[in-house]
Amino acid sequence: MTRRSWIGWQFTAPFLALFTLVFLAPIAYSAYLSVFRTRLVGGTTFVGLENYTKALSDPQFWESITRVVLFLLIQVPIMLGLALLVALAIDSGRLYGAGFFRVAIFLPYAVPSVVATLMAGFLYGIRFGLVGSINEALGLNLPDPLAPGWILATIGNIVTWEYVGYNMLILYSGLKVIDASLYEAAAIDGAGELRIIRAIKLPALRGPLVVATIFSIVGSFQLFNEPQVLDSLAPNSITTYFTPNIYAYQLSFAGQQINYSATVALLMGVATMVVAYLFQLRAMRGEAR
Amino acid sequence: MTATPTVRAAARRPGRPPLKPAARKPRRRSAVLTVVTGVMLAYAILPLAWLFISASKTQEDLLATFGLWFGGEFALFDNIADTFTYQDGIFGRWVLNTVIYVVVGAGGATLLAALAGYGLAKFDFRGRRAVFAVVLGGIAVPPTALAVPTFLLFAKMGLTDTPWAVIIPSLVSPFGLYLMWTYSTEAVPNEILESARCDGAGEFRIFFKLALPLLAPGLVTVLLFNLVAAWNNFFMPLIMLKNADLYPLTLGLYSWNRQANTVGGDVVFDLVITGSLLTIIPLTVAFLMLQRYWQQGLAAGSVKQ
């Protein structure tokens, strides 16, 4: 037993050492930084929870949170809804070329978010993008997708494009492992396609949907790449506190407010975990019912 | 240890037909449904078509001609040559960096996750439960939330602006460990391990010679997840690296685009577009070739909570 014990640690130790370095130590370090304040004159002083009370009454911090929550509430249902429809369509066996659909709709996932956003920036650009071309050709005056009023919707569109195929494949995999005898039973009972979807497929997809939603919640709260890349294409639309992550980044690298930046990053990390956890709890309770 | 994914358990039930829906009668195909789903297909594919078409244009045509059709001249190969020669060929350097970050980062992360997942699944040692709880908690911690604190810590340690600043964080994949633990529990029978021990084989020899081949499907899945994460990595390199010679492709393209949008900067939109096309080709090809593994992997990932 003691020898075994030692061996098990040997297998786990390399991972744990690095996990400590890139997960536990940064969390501890930012918790440490968050209770100090550094000033050019006066140096570093201990300020207790002052950075936290500052964050909680910081309108820029709240605006960034409101924005990602709005994003979460609108973009995620649209994306997962589309993914669900496509997964059901491909699984229905009624599509011509279903395999081609599956692979092609999944492909955008292979595109790094930086590249996807650069593409979108060009596509939507008024100068030589598609929107510009269409406006010119048809004499229309379509709104500028990179204007302040539209930029969040545009980011939603980019994120949907990137991840709809990935979520579709998660849901499709969930459909593939449904026991075929359930369909036979349903057919004997004379159930139609919609009835089968409602009574068999959707309940079977609950687990995969919970997983997909949790990943989407985390992704929304941590939104960074897309607005950061769009910033150089639409500088007037992306503020320095557009999302909490952009805010933490700006505070640290443009504002030199390292202690406050660590506080914001820590608060958002905790908030993300709490929301993801609460959602999972709720989803599990629904399943137990 | 009872949280075996129900999907995989179902897939392995004896007497069940293979995953192809062989048990279901062939259905009548529906043209309407195909067309409706085709809208989604167009949504997914059109930007990629635009990218390919745009990469084939000269910079003048890019500005002057319709986005979804070819310009007067097919300049793709000229553009590729320009991309690789601009700024003393730094693009090639970025390709090489990306390959190094991906191979070392994703490969290392997969090996570490396999070792640890196997260790947690197959050995009963003091503190195992605590380890597992901490690592599972790690799955819920988004890496981006840790990026700024990690930067500050690495700056203290003198690691910033070195390749290690990008590689070390990508070596740790809690989700990969979780998947490998699940696979190890299921795919490596304890009897085989016991008999190997009776023959006097060392534990690490047993792992590399006996367990790893059995873990191959899980390994491929975890490797693919890590591969995508490392290939797409942007936030970490952005904050960690100053020296452009160390950039991965994502950060390099970003810097070109930024430069083109700066007043007085060199306008290289054609290179940004061609570089983007070159960046997505390798992973796209890998996806098309390995799509079967992806599906299995995702099925194993979509465990019932």
Side-chain angles (χ1 to χ4, degrees), chain B residues 164-185:
Chain B
W164 295 111
V166 176
I167 290 174
I168 291 174
S170 64
L171 282 174
V172 184
S173 164
F175 187 59
L177 181 146
Y178 170 75
L179 284 181
M180 288 318 299
W181 166 71
T182 315
Y183 269 99
S184 301
T185 310

Side-chain angles (χ1 to χ4, degrees), chain B residues 63-85:
Chain B
L63 296 162
T65 56
F66 182 62
L68 278 178
W69 199 242
F70 294 93
E73 188 184 341
F74 191 80
L76 177 62
F77 297 106
D78 289 341
N79 285 339
I80 292 176
D82 287 349
T83 305
F84 275 102
T85 51

Side-chain angles (χ1 to χ4, degrees), chain B:
Chain B
M1 303 291 280
T2 52
T4 315
T6 49
V7 264
R8 301 200 59 222
R12 294 174 64 217
R13 192 174 300 153
R16 190 182 178 280
L19 283 182
K20 282 267 170 203
R24 300 176 68 183
K25 287 187 209 98
R27 310 292 203 87
R28 224 168 344 104
R29 308 249 184 242
S30 159
V32 177
L33 190 65
T34 307
V35 170
V36 171
T37 316
V39 176
M40 199 58 210
L41 181 78
Y43 175 73
I45 291 299
L46 271 183
L48 295 172
W50 172 87
L51 184 67
F52 179 73
I53 290 167
S54 298
S56 77
K57 289 178 179 176
T58 61
Q59 186 138 282
E60 297 90 71
D61 277 351
L62 195 61
L63 296 162
T65 56
F66 182 62
L68 278 178
W69 199 242
F70 294 93
E73 188 184 341
F74 191 80
L76 177 62
F77 297 106
D78 289 341
N79 285 339
I80 292 176
D82 287 349
T83 305
F84 275 102
T85 51
Y86 184 66
Q87 287 178 348
D88 299 327
I90 200 168
F91 189 82
R93 172 94 222 186
W94 293 341
V95 172
L96 188 69
N97 292 341
T98 306
V99 169
I100 292 170
Y101 297 153
V102 166
V103 169
V104 180
T110 308
L111 181 64
L112 288 175
L115 278 168
Y118 174 85
L120 285 169
K122 294 299 172 192
F123 300 100
D124 194 10
F125 56 92
R126 192 184 292 254
R128 196 188 62 166
R129 278 169 188 279
V131 170
F132 203 67
V134 171
V135 174
L136 275 188
I139 293 179
V141 179
T144 38
L146 289 174
V148 171
T150 307
F151 166 80
L152 299 171
L153 192 69
F154 277 25
K156 271 239 139 98
M157 300 165 70
L159 285 172
T160 46
D161 215 22
T162 70
W164 295 111
V166 176
I167 290 174
I168 291 174
S170 64
L171 282 174
V172 184
S173 164
F175 187 59
L177 181 146
Y178 170 75
L179 284 181
M180 288 318 299
W181 166 71
T182 315
Y183 269 99
S184 301
T185 310
E186 273 202 20
V188 184
N190 287 329
E191 297 77 35
I192 292 186
L193 301 182
E194 284 307 331
S195 64
R197 279 171 195 143
C198 289
D199 294 345
E203 291 295 344
F204 283 93
R205 199 184 140 82
I206 293 176
F207 174 76
F208 284 105
K209 295 274 175 199
L210 279 175
L212 268 192
L214 293 171
L215 292 172
L219 277 173
V220 173
T221 306
V222 174
L223 183 67
L224 281 167
F225 272 116
N226 293 334
L227 206 75
V228 175
W231 191 266
N232 294 352
N233 199 359
F234 172 67
F235 196 16
M236 271 298 170
L238 173 72
I239 64 175
M240 293 289 185
L241 301 178
K242 280 208 167 68
N243 181 358
D245 281 340
L246 297 177
Y247 285 4
L249 282 165
T250 49
L251 188 53
L253 289 171
Y254 171 74
S255 69
W256 275 0
N257 185 61
R258 242 183 127 78
Q259 162 199 322
N261 279 290
T262 315
V263 180
D266 197 2
V267 179
V268 287
F269 290 132
D270 51 342
L271 302 188
V272 175
I273 287 175
T274 309
S276 297
L277 179 67
L278 295 173
T279 299
I280 68 173
I281 285 175
L283 209 54
T284 309
V285 170
F287 269 162
L288 292 177
M289 279 169 25
L290 297 169
Q291 49 150 323
R292 232 154 36 96
Y293 291 102
W294 264 99
Q295 259 184 64
Q296 287 170 6
L298 286 168
S302 60
V303 291
K304 219 169 181 188
Q305 291 298 298

